[in-house]
Amino acid sequence: MKKNYIIPTGICIVSIANIMGHYFPPFSLFTTFIYMSVIVGAVNYNLYEINFKLTVLYNFSLLLLNDIFIRKFAGGTHDSVGMAVCWLMFQIGFVISTIIMIALSLKKNIKNENVHFSNFNVVVIGAILIQIFYNFVNAEI
């Protein structure tokens, strides 16, 4: 059974949190790691069963989309302190989300032992690529 409502739910949570962050400035900035962890761990849990690798790509895309929304609409790019807080909150959310995905990949790898490119490897390689991309395009602090 396809879960067609899950992907829009994650995008809506990110959008609503950043709209609230626009009107109540510290909200989306300081709660990034909370709602991103909820999306990665709870909301997208059924997506891991459908296609683990695409779900990991979707999760990392949501992390980057959330960071773009925070920088564009929730503030934090006007001075070096704001940019540092944006960077710190992205890193905290990234680490917690990656730990959740690694835990889920280890659980899923036990079930699928005959795969050539394991779910754990996908999460680790995705995390490395996202960090390289993020640090390459990140505004200087």
Side-chain angles (χ1 to χ4, degrees):
M1 181 170 93
K2 297 278 183 178
K3 308 286 187 203
N4 294 332
Y5 61 89
I6 296 174
I7 292 174
T9 302
I11 295 170
C12 285
I13 291 171
V14 168
S15 300
I16 290 169
N18 283 292
I19 288 170
M20 289 178 62
H22 181 71
Y23 294 107
F24 307 106
F27 177 78
S28 64
L29 189 59
F30 292 129
T31 59
T32 296
F33 62 94
I34 296 170
Y35 63 82
M36 288 309 298
S37 300
V38 168
I39 293 171
V40 169
V43 174
N44 293 344
Y45 187 76
N46 290 329
L47 284 179
Y48 293 108
E49 296 292 329
I50 297 170
N51 191 334
F52 190 89
K53 293 167 180 67
L54 286 178
T55 305
V56 169
L57 177 67
Y58 169 65
N59 290 336
F60 285 135
S61 299
L62 272 181
L63 281 165
L64 289 175
L65 179 70
N66 182 56
D67 188 62
I68 290 169
F69 281 171
I70 285 175
R71 290 177 187 270
K72 291 292 182 188
F73 303 114
T77 58
H78 304 295
D79 59 356
S80 60
V81 174
M83 287 188 281
V85 171
C86 284
W87 180 84
L88 179 66
M89 290 301 139
F90 174 81
Q91 296 300 327
I92 292 171
F94 174 79
V95 167
I96 293 171
S97 298
T98 304
I99 289 170
I100 291 170
M101 287 187 279
I102 286 174
L104 289 170
S105 74
L106 294 175
K107 179 180 175 185
K108 303 297 180 193
N109 277 344
I110 293 171
K111 294 179 183 177
N112 302 329
E113 294 176 356
N114 296 329
V115 292
H116 297 290
F117 202 60
S118 71
N119 294 335
F120 177 78
N121 291 341
V122 170
V123 174
V124 171
I125 291 171
I128 292 169
L129 291 175
I130 291 298
Q131 278 298 323
I132 290 170
F133 175 77
Y134 182 78
N135 289 329
F136 179 71
V137 299
N138 190 19
E140 291 190 22
I141 298 175

